[in-house]
Amino acid sequence: QVQLAESGGGLVQPGGSLRLSCAASGFTLNYYGIGWFRQVSGKEREGVSCIRSSDGRTYYADSVKGRFTISRDNAKNTVYLQMNSLKPEDPAVYYCATDYNTYPPYGSSCLDTKYEYDYWGQGTQVTVSS
């Protein structure tokens, strides 16, 4: 079965760093789109970063550009989100997702709301506190 599992969340001070992992099983993620999202309780889910399925191009939300980096290790079948210079507004539950069996619109950013993801992990909590 297609499954995704996030890990690496925890408590970090402002300005600190964390690396989140998204381990895929049941499929090989090399040529699929992968996205990182975050959500605070009671608020809308926000796209953070992604790798587009059509060409492997990466995208970042304006709020995290220059601080977060998405990467993929095909040998480990895992996607990472390196988070540096963490800010008080970054705490959330972080989720990864894949477009395994969807048809994303051509030319769209993989952070666009019309770019569909069909498999999601359970999330990992990130807390930023001094």
Side-chain angles (χ1 to χ4, degrees):
Q1 293 182 343
V2 174
Q3 291 184 326
L4 298 171
E6 304 94 338
S7 63
L11 175 65
V12 64
Q13 295 182 343
S17 298
L18 285 174
R19 189 180 73 163
L20 305 183
S21 299
C22 175
S25 60
F27 74 108
T28 301
L29 55 72
N30 297 40
Y31 302 107
Y32 293 93
I34 297 290
W36 281 100
F37 301 82
R38 64 187 181 186
Q39 187 170 25
V40 177
S41 181
K43 298 184 179 180
E44 291 290 322
R45 185 173 59 218
E46 175 190 13
V48 177
S49 183
C50 60
I51 305 174
R52 191 165 64 182
S53 60
S54 59
D55 57 3
R57 181 176 176 180
T58 59
Y59 292 84
Y60 296 91
D62 289 340
S63 60
V64 306
K65 286 181 178 178
R67 299 190 298 119
F68 292 10
T69 303
I70 190 170
S71 62
R72 178 167 55 193
D73 187 336
N74 292 328
K76 297 183 181 296
N77 211 30
T78 298
V79 172
Y80 302 97
L81 183 68
Q82 179 67 46
M83 305 186 297
N84 297 327
S85 302
L86 284 161
K87 299 179 178 180
E89 59 265 35
D90 292 324
V93 177
Y94 283 71
Y95 301 88
C96 64
T98 184
D99 60 358
Y100 178 73
N101 197 30
T102 66
Y103 295 90
Y106 179 82
S108 296
S109 165
C110 40
L111 294 180
D112 195 297
T113 55
K114 62 185 178 182
Y115 194 105
E116 297 183 1
Y117 296 86
D118 54 352
Y119 287 90
W120 294 77
Q122 294 300 306
T124 185
Q125 177 71 53
V126 172
T127 302
V128 180
S129 179
S130 60

